[in-house]
Amino acid sequence: MPLPTSASALDAATPASRDRLIDLVRGASIVVVVLGHWTMAAFVRDLGGGVRLRNVLEVEAWAHPLTWVLQVMPLFFLAAGFTNHLALTRPRATVAAFIAGRVERVLRPTIVFGAIWLVGANIAIALGAPADLLTTGARAAAMVLWFLAVYVMITLLAPLQLRLHQRHPWLLLATLPVVTLLLDRLQGTSWALLGYLSYATVFIFCAELGYLYAEGRLAELSRRAWGAVSAGAIATLVLLMVVGPYPVSMIGLPGQTTSNMMPPSVCVIVVAILQTALVMIARPWLLRWLDRPRVWASVVAINVSVMTLFLWHLTALILVAAVALGPLKVALPLVGSGAWWIHKIGWIAASAALTFVLVAIFARAERLPARAAARPGILSGLGGLIAAIGLTMLACSGFVDPWTPGGIALGGVQFRPGVGALLVLLGWALTRWPTPPSSDLARH
């Protein structure tokens, strides 16, 4: 169904039962991720004149505590848990339709994105474009896919999570931090690959917070109680970093013996609690703010293209870098210097402008109505699992040299981008089955 064209009409068309805060959390979390990636990205030249990508947090230690509120993936998965709960408890809801609908919403714009990168990057290199910049850019652009792989896996587990949650509402909140703490101990050992299970334990915990919010349980606590929760979370983080082996930054950085994000540690669970507490403290004010038609229209505008925005924002940065470091020969100041931060304003502005253009071009793939599944739930689940594996392979390998292993090794294994792409296509085919489309406005 087309969205109303005016802010007031959109506001009037939105059901009173819709929790606008969840839309704000979802959209704002992706916007923060986008701005964070643009800000942290630092292109540098090596001694041979080649270009590589660093993270400004490597030299700006003062900014590490800011990641406690700016690493907002926990909030995105809280919003995902909320919408999963609503979708699965809706009358006549089926597991097959739920999984197929969620997976299709992820894969349809992702397939367009991956196809353009796989073809475009390799054609550009064949025509003489700088291979080092394109390889760096292709691997950076592909890294957004790890998040989508995790999202698909959480989606596949959602029906089981809901069943367990309905029987034991507080069990997962009590046990998952302990399990994650044990998995943390595997980092840097011969069992390190098993530690990647924390992607499930940490983000299922975040989704569980969304389940509790959907049932109204989180809103039962007073703002004063949430203030105490936030203070306790901060104290716990400080303790974990002073006494334990955990770094301050919630972003993985080179040289860390223990990572808070690759894979996620128990610190991310504590950050999820902190961020949830802050949102709940601000909730009454935020809900009043969201009642303003123009504010609500802006939130809807972001959400209807949120996947496209997330997929293409690093591509925009890479294209800006290709022009700036190629034809324009822009100088690269010392990372973290005053000149670097001044330059960064221009880089962000140029990336934002180009991202706007890319979203305008490619958002149609996301905005087409999703179709439910008419196939058995087991087939939809298998398709989702295959797609998640393919997304992981692409995230590790990038898009250059489709049939050559390369990129980040996972468990000592490097992957071929072409194989990952084929698995994504196969997973999408297994979950997709045409049925009449339905409106996305009246439901999360």
Side-chain angles (χ1 to χ4, degrees):
M1 183 180 72
L3 294 175
T5 55
S6 71
S8 58
L10 177 62
D11 181 66
T14 302
S17 60
R18 189 178 187 94
D19 193 314
R20 300 185 182 194
L21 181 63
I22 288 296
D23 295 277
L24 175 64
V25 167
R26 183 193 303 111
S29 62
I30 294 301
V31 170
V32 170
V33 168
V34 168
L35 292 174
H37 283 169
W38 287 342
T39 302
M40 292 186 298
F43 290 96
V44 297
R45 293 193 186 277
D46 55 31
L47 295 177
V51 176
R52 60 189 179 92
L53 194 59
R54 294 184 63 193
N55 191 322
V56 70
L57 293 178
E58 295 175 42
V59 298
E60 299 285 36
W62 62 267
H64 290 190
L66 297 179
T67 62
W68 298 4
V69 291
L70 297 179
Q71 172 52 278
V72 288
M73 284 299 96
L75 287 181
F76 183 89
F77 280 98
L78 181 152
F82 178 97
T83 56
N84 289 348
H85 186 286
L86 262 62
L88 288 167
T89 55
R90 186 178 293 118
R92 297 184 300 279
T94 66
V95 170
F98 166 77
I99 292 176
R102 288 290 192 269
V103 172
E104 185 180 0
R105 283 188 179 92
V106 171
L107 294 188
R108 188 167 50 200
T110 302
I111 288 171
V112 174
F113 168 76
I116 290 174
W117 257 106
L118 279 168
V119 175
N122 290 283
I123 289 177
I125 290 176
L127 293 176
D132 59 337
L133 180 58
L134 268 173
T135 300
T136 297
R139 288 176 180 170
M143 280 301 295
V144 301
L145 300 181
W146 77 263
F147 161 77
L148 300 183
V150 175
Y151 177 81
V152 170
M153 289 304 301
I154 298 303
T155 296
L156 298 180
L157 294 171
L160 294 177
Q161 180 181 354
L162 177 63
R163 185 176 302 177
L164 182 59
H165 171 84
Q166 290 173 332
R167 294 180 180 178
H168 308 285
W170 304 101
L171 178 63
L172 290 175
L173 287 188
T175 57
L176 289 178
V178 177
V179 175
T180 304
L181 192 61
L182 295 175
L183 291 173
D184 288 348
R185 310 311 301 162
L186 300 179
Q187 291 193 35
T189 72
S190 58
W191 295 88
L193 188 61
L194 190 61
Y196 281 84
L197 287 174
S198 64
Y199 276 110
T201 61
V202 168
F203 292 117
I204 286 175
F205 180 94
C206 299
E208 189 70 10
L209 293 173
Y211 282 37
L212 294 171
Y213 180 68
E215 295 171 351
R217 296 175 187 262
L218 299 188
E220 293 173 355
L221 289 179
S222 67
R223 296 174 75 180
R224 179 174 297 181
W226 281 116
V229 170
S230 64
I234 292 173
T236 302
L237 282 171
V238 172
L239 182 65
L240 287 169
M241 290 158 192
V242 172
V243 178
Y246 299 98
V248 176
S249 174
M250 292 299 124
I251 306 293
L253 298 172
Q256 293 177 338
T257 56
T258 301
S259 173
N260 280 330
M261 188 50 68
M262 298 293 285
S265 73
V266 71
C267 291
V268 180
I269 285 180
V270 183
V271 164
I273 296 170
L274 171 62
Q275 293 177 355
T276 301
L278 295 176
V279 169
M280 296 306 296
I281 290 171
R283 180 173 178 264
W285 177 81
L286 290 173
L287 288 175
R288 289 194 296 271
W289 185 57
L290 288 166
D291 279 337
R292 300 178 181 180
R294 290 185 179 179
V295 173
W296 175 236
S298 299
V299 171
V300 172
I302 293 172
N303 273 276
V304 296
S305 303
V306 71
M307 186 65 65
T308 308
L309 171 64
F310 179 73
L311 283 169
W312 288 96
H313 75 280
L314 282 177
T315 300
L317 174 65
I318 292 155
L319 291 173
V320 168
V323 174
L325 303 180
L328 298 183
K329 300 188 183 302
V330 173
L332 292 174
L334 181 66
V335 176
S337 66
W340 186 89
W341 283 106
I342 292 173
H343 275 233
K344 178 57 66 174
I345 296 172
W347 282 81
I348 291 175
S351 299
L354 186 52
T355 298
F356 181 84
V357 174
L358 292 173
V359 169
I361 294 172
F362 295 112
R364 179 173 173 78
E366 178 179 359
R367 294 174 183 172
L368 291 173
R371 298 177 182 273
R375 293 186 176 187
I378 186 67
L379 196 57
S380 296
L382 178 61
L385 177 60
I386 291 172
I389 293 171
L391 289 170
T392 302
M393 294 172 69
L394 281 170
C396 291
S397 61
F399 298 111
V400 176
D401 295 329
W403 307 111
T404 303
I408 299 171
L410 188 62
V413 178
Q414 291 182 310
F415 304 105
R416 292 174 171 85
V419 175
L422 290 176
L423 289 178
V424 170
L425 288 172
L426 175 60
W428 181 62
L430 288 174
T431 57
R432 185 174 181 271
W433 194 255
T435 57
S438 58
S439 167
D440 281 331
L441 177 62
R443 60 195 179 108
H444 283 277

